Amino acid sequence: MGLVLVAAAAQAQSPVSDGQKLAFDRGKGNCLTCHVIKGGDLPGSIGPRLENLKQRYGRDELVAILNDETQRNPQTVMPPFGRNRILTPQEIDAIVDFLQTL
């Protein structure tokens, strides 16, 4: 019975928690290398603080930034996570879901 509950809890995991895991993962999204994010450990200071993003950016704009920020800002140091296939479109969507909760 306990195993069933654990499996059900794993399936019920929200996209926000998946996005947070990716954003905080030092080997995948790695957002904390450059950004301060509430709840993240050892943040960087190269990029802006990631807060109030839903009020500042539409969903499509956040997806575009994660996909390839060089399209908006050719001088950026932010990696083109989508264009370089560092993150899949589904992973980018999950991170945007998380970022919109900040």
Side-chain angles (χ1 to χ4, degrees):
M1 176 97 176
L3 183 58
V4 172
L5 292 175
V6 171
Q11 287 179 345
Q13 207 168 25
S14 73
V16 172
S17 63
D18 291 343
Q20 183 176 12
K21 281 188 218 173
L22 286 164
F24 289 3
D25 184 329
R26 296 289 180 174
K28 192 69 172 169
N30 209 13
C31 303
L32 285 170
T33 295
C34 298
H35 300 279
V36 172
I37 306 172
K38 182 180 177 181
D41 293 330
L42 303 171
S45 59
I46 295 170
R49 295 181 68 89
L50 299 183
E51 59 189 4
N52 300 318
L53 296 180
K54 191 169 188 174
Q55 291 78 25
R56 295 180 9 214
Y57 299 101
R59 180 176 186 75
D60 291 343
E61 190 171 11
L62 286 173
V63 168
I65 289 168
L66 286 171
N67 188 56
D68 185 1
E69 175 61 0
T70 65
Q71 295 296 310
R72 286 179 359 131
N73 177 6
Q75 302 302 315
T76 188
V77 296
M78 185 165 165
F81 289 100
R83 186 187 76 198
N84 285 355
R85 297 184 184 149
I86 298 166
L87 296 170
T88 67
Q90 294 80 14
E91 290 170 328
I92 289 173
D93 282 339
I95 291 172
V96 169
D97 288 342
F98 167 63
L99 293 176
Q100 289 189 311
T101 69
L102 300 177

